[in-house]
Amino acid sequence: MSLIADAILKIYDAFRNLDEISMLCMEILGVVIVISICFGIYCTVRKLRNFTGMLLSVICAGVSIFLFLIAPHAGMILIKPDGDPALVADSFFSAVCAGDVKRASSCLTDSSFVFSFADASANSIDASVNETEHLYMEKISNGYSYKLIGKPEINGLYAVQNVRFRYFAPEKTTELLKDETMKDLDKIVQIHSRDEIYDENDQYLPGITDDAYRMALYNVVDGGNDDFYDTVIIKAELYYDEGIWKLKMSDELRQALNGGCDNLKSLLSNIKSDALSDVTYIPKLYVLDENVLEGNKPDQSCYFETDDPAKVQEVVDGAWALLGDQRMAWNTAIKPISGTKIKCYCDETILAITWRQRINGEYCTCSEVKIADPSQIRRKLCMDTFGSPVEKTATALANEANAVLACNGDYYKYRPNGICVYQRKVCRAELRTTDTCYVDGKGDLIFSRQRQFEKKEDVQKFVDDNDILFGVSFGPILIDNGEIQKAGNYLLGQVNEGYSRSSIGQIDELHYFCMTINHTRANPSGGRIKDSAQIMYDFGCKKAYALDGGQTAEIVMNGAAANPVDWSNERMVSDIIYFATAVPAD
């Protein structure tokens, strides 16, 4: 039975992949068979037995033609694929070793794929690539070698060819490069005067350490050390399509072409950071892939709770490299609500502090977040798909996304109002009723006003021109360019009435502030929009925007609600905004 089911599935897939001529023949054949069956029934009813043999002949001929047309597409053993998949694999890898991007692309199932090794080619290096990156990229692009292992395993229209692939792995230079950098730094110190080496605080001048690293880099990387190479066995997958074999680009192969890593630029930055770690502080560069729909998993040891503000200040002081010259809105003079804890998370790429505080009679839950890279502020939709019928709690979405901290979004599924942007695409464009808050490629909040655009195409142009990653629609805008905005008679959110509120703001570059005002027994009416705006302004927000409120208003930290949600029951929602760590789990 399983064999029959498999055959039926193959035939079904074949129908979907038929070319136009074959499909036309199938349609004509189907019409002929249906007419023949109807004619046979007619003859049987009229007892015209002389036509029975004719009917059977027509049906048999039709079935034969059907098998002839469908067999090549269904993978039936009636027509053997032409060509040798090993030759295609050999052509691809030889093109890679020769730096021939065009020929290598012609061997792939997806000809639009841009090779990692193309970025490493000396011909593609531009002014944005520094000398260090240039050297490594050239070494990678000239360091490929391969050998096919055995013959390909062919199964119908699918084949696997094992390939031994050797490539230059920059990460393997780290340890020797660090030792060599220290030696070269010592040489520089010996031949220069003190004021040429140190600043007034007896710290190495930046140019000195850079020179030492550069000297070490050429000595180590150009040395041709075989220990810097890695060899992997790659199972190259090939598919037979439209009469030729094509190779599929796998994650394993893509990583090998990129020197054994996912992000070469980040790796090279971290190699330099390690090489100079004993002489100067250089922050490591961590970036989340925009196309990966969840963050890295937080390190649980980086979370802690306390009722002692002094312990929180110690964490803030230790995050000086992340904060730079920016000041935190949080300070030790803040008095959290009695009996509540201050929640913190801090690693190299993110600092998040959440506390509950009574402000101007309002019961507020405040969260301040500083991140290292714009890729760490993100939006999560249920099922990662716009329009999904599934709804989940904010805590469930935050856990799926590996969020360090999250707040509710606009709950776009509940109402048809406003503009919705997800993964740089305008998914909905109702242009009349709401202000919209966007997050761009720099991590900045950008606003558009209701009725600012005339058609959806105008919105998409705005998204493209401003490098917009995602956008939410609820509003209104609370603060813009450092000034509190008047809500007036805004359509959504009952802005002039007491209501639980949620808002997000930006204090400085990659520095954010989230806040909820929630109902309590002592203050059952909650807050008004102007109250949210004033509090966000007092905390130093230059920009701020109102998110969906009421029972939806929620801040999540370490997978649990940090604020008292209305009616003590989380609402099922469609989306969240969240902040993730960029430090890889390993």
Side-chain angles (χ1 to χ4, degrees):
M1 290 298 290
S2 62
L3 186 62
I4 295 173
D6 184 57
I8 292 173
L9 287 175
K10 281 188 174 183
I11 291 173
Y12 172 73
D13 288 336
F15 269 112
R16 296 190 302 170
N17 296 314
L18 283 176
D19 55 51
E20 292 183 5
I21 296 177
S22 298
M23 197 65 202
L24 179 61
C25 292
M26 291 300 299
E27 292 172 354
I28 295 173
L29 177 62
V31 172
V32 171
I33 292 176
V34 170
I35 293 175
S36 299
I37 293 173
C38 293
F39 188 64
I41 295 172
Y42 170 77
C43 292
T44 302
V45 173
R46 299 297 299 272
K47 299 181 180 181
L48 300 177
R49 297 181 180 178
N50 293 336
F51 292 96
T52 304
M54 182 186 299
L55 173 63
L56 292 174
S57 298
V58 171
I59 293 175
C60 289
V63 172
S64 299
I65 296 172
F66 168 78
L67 292 175
F68 177 77
L69 289 172
I70 203 70
H73 301 278
M76 300 166 66
I77 314 300
L78 295 179
I79 296 179
K80 184 178 180 181
D82 291 329
D84 185 354
L87 295 178
V88 176
D90 187 63
S91 178
F92 171 79
F93 283 99
S94 67
V96 167
C97 293
D100 189 342
V101 178
K102 185 175 181 181
R103 179 158 65 94
S105 295
S106 68
C107 299
L108 288 176
T109 54
D110 182 5
S111 60
S112 65
F113 176 77
V114 178
F115 289 105
S116 299
F117 80 83
D119 295 331
S121 170
N123 295 328
S124 67
I125 293 173
D126 56 31
S128 66
V129 178
N130 62 37
E131 186 178 3
T132 300
E133 293 167 348
H134 188 157
L135 180 62
Y136 271 115
M137 288 177 173
E138 198 168 40
K139 198 71 176 178
I140 291 172
S141 63
N142 295 328
Y144 301 124
S145 62
Y146 76 100
K147 182 179 180 181
L148 301 187
I149 302 175
K151 296 182 179 180
E153 298 178 8
I154 303 175
N155 182 11
L157 305 181
Y158 170 77
V160 174
Q161 173 66 61
N162 289 328
V163 182
R164 180 180 289 109
F165 189 70
R166 186 172 183 261
Y167 61 90
F168 182 83
E171 190 171 14
K172 292 195 171 187
T173 67
T174 303
E175 185 174 348
L176 184 58
L177 189 56
K178 182 173 183 176
D179 293 339
E180 191 68 25
T181 299
M182 297 303 294
K183 292 177 183 178
D184 288 332
L185 182 61
D186 184 58
K187 292 177 184 177
I188 293 173
V189 170
Q190 299 304 320
I191 62 175
H192 287 83
S193 62
R194 182 178 182 81
D195 60 352
E196 292 176 317
I197 301 297
Y198 303 104
D199 62 16
E200 63 275 10
N201 297 315
D202 289 334
Q203 299 294 318
Y204 286 111
L205 296 170
I208 299 300
T209 55
D210 287 345
D211 287 346
Y213 178 72
R214 188 181 302 107
M215 292 167 58
L217 188 68
Y218 279 97
N219 291 335
V220 171
V221 175
D222 271 355
N225 193 327
D226 285 343
D227 292 338
F228 299 156
Y229 288 81
D230 207 349
T231 301
V232 293
I233 304 298
I234 294 174
K235 292 184 177 295
E237 300 179 55
L238 299 102
Y239 295 86
Y240 191 76
D241 184 36
E242 297 183 357
I244 56 175
W245 287 101
K246 293 271 188 166
L247 186 143
K248 179 185 178 183
M249 177 60 65
S250 64
D251 291 338
E252 179 188 30
L253 176 55
R254 183 185 292 106
Q255 191 175 62
L257 292 172
N258 207 33
C261 66
D262 291 319
N263 190 314
L264 183 59
K265 192 176 184 70
S266 295
L267 174 63
L268 298 185
S269 174
N270 293 341
I271 289 174
K272 182 177 181 180
S273 176
D274 287 334
L276 298 176
S277 61
D278 291 340
V279 294
T280 185
Y281 178 79
I282 300 178
K284 291 191 175 183
L285 175 66
Y286 295 110
V287 179
L288 294 176
D289 188 336
E290 183 180 320
N291 296 312
V292 176
L293 300 178
E294 66 217 15
N296 293 331
K297 193 170 184 179
D299 183 349
Q300 284 297 316
S301 66
C302 294
Y303 282 108
F304 78 95
E305 297 184 4
T306 182
D307 53 9
D308 184 357
K311 291 184 178 180
V312 180
Q313 188 60 45
E314 290 178 8
V315 175
V316 173
D317 293 341
W320 59 268
L322 181 63
L323 289 170
D325 58 1
Q326 295 186 26
R327 289 189 174 185
M328 295 286 287
W330 184 91
N331 60 80
T332 54
I334 289 174
K335 295 181 179 180
I337 293 174
S338 178
T340 64
K341 298 283 188 180
I342 307 170
K343 304 175 187 292
C344 294
Y345 181 95
C346 186
D347 64 24
E348 294 175 73
T349 65
I350 182 171
L351 169 64
I353 305 174
T354 298
W355 70 94
R356 292 177 60 193
Q357 179 183 2
R358 189 169 183 180
I359 306 171
N360 300 333
E362 307 288 1
Y363 284 82
C364 303
T365 301
C366 305
S367 293
E368 188 172 3
V369 185
K370 177 68 173 72
I371 55 178
D373 188 82
S375 63
Q376 294 173 252
I377 179 171
R378 308 164 77 85
R379 188 181 189 191
K380 172 77 172 175
L381 305 186
C382 285
M383 306 301 290
D384 299 314
T385 305
F386 179 81
S388 168
V390 175
E391 293 182 356
K392 300 182 180 182
T393 62
T395 54
L397 287 172
N399 283 311
E400 286 181 11
N402 292 325
V404 170
L405 183 137
C407 63
N408 63 280
D410 60 10
Y411 196 178
Y412 76 89
K413 281 289 291 180
Y414 187 72
R415 61 189 66 81
N417 306 89
I419 297 168
C420 184
V421 179
Y422 180 63
Q423 295 294 91
R424 298 182 181 272
K425 181 181 178 182
V426 179
C427 301
R428 184 180 68 202
E430 189 283 305
L431 310 176
R432 298 174 299 170
T433 55
T434 66
D435 299 338
T436 305
C437 177
Y438 310 90
V439 175
D440 69 9
K442 296 179 181 179
D444 291 331
L445 303 188
I446 297 178
F447 303 133
S448 69
R449 308 275 177 168
Q450 50 189 316
R451 301 181 183 274
Q452 179 172 327
F453 305 107
E454 293 184 359
K455 53 184 184 296
K456 182 177 181 180
E457 290 74 17
D458 296 338
V459 185
Q460 188 63 60
K461 185 177 186 306
F462 177 84
V463 168
D464 296 337
D465 291 346
N466 291 278
D467 190 30
I468 300 299
L469 302 178
F470 66 85
V472 292
S473 279
F474 194 86
I477 298 168
L478 303 178
I479 304 169
D480 194 12
N481 296 320
E483 296 183 359
I484 294 177
Q485 306 294 294
K486 293 183 178 180
N489 295 316
Y490 195 74
L491 177 66
L492 297 184
Q494 299 171 295
V495 295
N496 296 315
E497 299 179 21
Y499 210 65
S500 289
R501 303 291 176 185
S502 178
S503 50
I504 184 170
Q506 183 173 3
I507 295 174
D508 207 328
E509 182 181 0
L510 301 178
H511 192 168
Y512 309 91
F513 194 84
C514 302
M515 185 183 73
T516 63
I517 297 176
N518 289 95
H519 291 173
T520 65
R521 291 181 180 177
N523 186 25
S525 63
R528 293 171 294 175
I529 278 294
K530 67 176 185 178
D531 301 319
S532 288
Q534 186 63 54
I535 296 172
M536 299 286 280
Y537 178 84
D538 291 342
F539 272 113
C541 290
K542 304 295 189 303
K543 296 183 177 183
Y545 181 83
L547 300 168
D548 190 11
Q551 191 180 6
T552 306
E554 186 172 4
I555 290 175
V556 178
M557 190 165 185
N558 198 11
N563 62 297
V565 181
D566 286 5
W567 301 297
S568 301
N569 186 28
E570 280 190 87
R571 188 180 191 182
M572 305 292 279
V573 295
S574 59
D575 60 294
I576 58 170
I577 298 171
Y578 72 98
F579 300 90
T581 176
V583 178
D586 58 356

